[in-house]
Amino acid sequence: MDAESLLLSLELAAGSGLGLSPDRRAALLTSLQLVKRDYRYDRVLFWGRILGIVADYYIAQGLSEDQLAPRKTLYSLNCIEWSLLPPATEERATQMAMVKGRFMGDPSHEYEHTEFQKMTAEDDVVVQVKEETRLVSVIDQIDKAVAIIPRGALFKTPFGPVHVNRTFEGLPLSEARKLSSYFHFREPVGLKNKTLLEKADLDPSLDFLDSLEHDIPKGSWSIQMERGNSLVVLRSLLWPGFTFFHTPRTRNHGYIYVGTGHRCCACWRG
């Protein structure tokens, strides 16, 4: 959710279980504006909260003018002081795949796991990774899997960069009920595999991302109209705790994650 409309967005996402106290809300409202100024971001998003055993991680992301450029991710334990996380890498993701259990809530906490090494005299090597590294990996996985925007919220210029569409006034009610009206907020993957015939009816300035209607497995999204059809809410069944909201016919939209950072592998196996 955009920091510029934080209070309204928190109200719209009230059903996500965030449960911020007035003090936390006030701290976020001030500190995220300072993050935007100090880091010179074009936009700052309040991403959500990852629940830990001794403390929770509050997550924010900074975006450049090109909305699809790599996002900068920050975390805080008190909604006041923010620390910048390193970028996600494939190597870190591979290491984190071996780590199980809840987050502790301590960035310096170290996990140990054993890796089998064929090229060394010892068969097993104990690898230590910090919780901060695990945090980076989990946020990146969630972003790639379920971070979404409504169609038309962004537009792609003929020169390539993607910008916020200032003329976007929200989806009409009839379109807001369809999964095809929502796109993954990341570089497209499936769109590149479409044939020229399949792309013929697409608007290159608006339809440049992957639609949710093609997500695998089918049925991994729940879409509902709430508050007397004045609010559309999408929830991910793959990543419990992720909620997207949009008020049809208005610019109001955003998403938030509140959970333990675990994918529902037992429910959905791709």
Side-chain angles (χ1 to χ4, degrees):
M1 54 180 65
D2 199 313
E4 295 291 340
S5 55
L6 184 65
L7 295 182
L8 174 60
S9 296
L10 288 173
E11 175 63 27
L12 293 176
S16 66
L18 183 59
L20 284 178
S21 67
D23 289 346
R24 292 286 195 196
R25 291 185 180 219
L28 273 178
L29 198 62
T30 301
S31 65
L32 291 181
Q33 293 299 325
L34 294 176
V35 165
K36 180 180 179 181
R37 183 198 69 185
D38 294 344
Y39 286 92
R40 298 181 180 180
Y41 294 136
D42 183 68
R43 284 203 300 156
V44 171
L45 306 179
F46 178 54
W47 187 91
R49 183 170 69 181
I50 291 183
L51 309 176
I53 294 175
V54 299
D56 298 338
Y57 292 104
Y58 296 87
I59 310 299
Q61 290 185 325
L63 283 68
S64 62
E65 188 176 358
D66 184 350
Q67 299 294 298
L68 285 190
R71 299 192 274 274
K72 306 297 183 182
T73 303
L74 306 94
Y75 74 89
S76 174
L77 298 175
N78 57 14
C79 296
I80 299 173
E81 300 168 315
W82 295 88
S83 300
L84 189 64
L85 288 168
T89 64
E90 291 295 331
E91 181 182 0
R92 289 194 180 103
T94 301
Q95 291 177 337
M96 291 302 100
M98 306 297 294
V99 178
K100 307 298 180 183
R102 290 277 304 277
F103 278 88
M104 290 299 297
D106 176 6
S108 63
H109 176 75
E110 291 189 340
Y111 298 91
E112 290 186 356
H113 70 89
T114 303
E115 289 186 355
F116 179 73
Q117 301 286 338
K118 291 183 179 180
M119 303 302 293
T120 61
E122 299 291 335
D123 287 340
D124 295 328
V125 174
V126 176
V127 178
Q128 292 183 325
V129 289
K130 287 187 176 181
E131 181 159 278
E132 184 180 83
T133 304
R134 184 187 182 192
L135 190 64
V136 170
S137 179
V138 168
I139 293 171
D140 183 60
Q141 288 181 60
I142 295 174
D143 269 347
K144 290 179 178 177
V146 294
I148 58 177
I149 58 167
R151 181 181 184 270
L154 301 178
F155 77 96
K156 187 173 185 178
T157 68
F159 305 103
V162 174
H163 300 296
V164 173
N165 186 358
R166 305 297 179 186
T167 65
F168 177 67
E169 296 298 336
L171 295 170
L173 189 59
S174 59
E175 295 299 315
R177 303 171 186 268
K178 303 175 182 178
L179 278 181
S180 58
S181 297
Y182 303 95
F183 296 152
H184 284 280
F185 189 16
R186 53 157 167 75
E187 288 289 342
V189 178
L191 187 65
K192 298 176 182 178
N193 299 322
K194 286 182 176 292
T195 65
L196 291 177
L197 185 60
E198 291 174 317
K199 295 179 180 179
D201 294 329
L202 301 181
D203 184 335
S205 65
L206 299 178
D207 302 310
F208 54 90
L209 299 172
D210 293 327
S211 169
L212 266 60
E213 65 176 332
H214 303 300
D215 278 12
I216 298 174
K218 292 289 186 181
S220 57
W221 288 97
S222 163
I223 182 168
Q224 297 174 312
M225 301 300 298
E226 300 183 359
R227 301 188 184 185
N229 288 340
S230 65
L231 181 70
V232 59
V233 176
L234 280 75
R235 294 184 174 89
S236 171
L237 304 184
L238 284 175
W239 286 95
F242 179 88
T243 302
F244 169 87
F245 56 89
H246 174 48
T247 307
R249 298 187 294 270
T250 76
R251 299 176 58 88
N252 301 329
H253 69 275
Y255 57 80
I256 191 168
Y257 175 81
V258 182
T260 59
H262 289 88
R263 187 176 184 269
C264 188
C265 297
C267 302
W268 299 96
R269 298 185 185 275

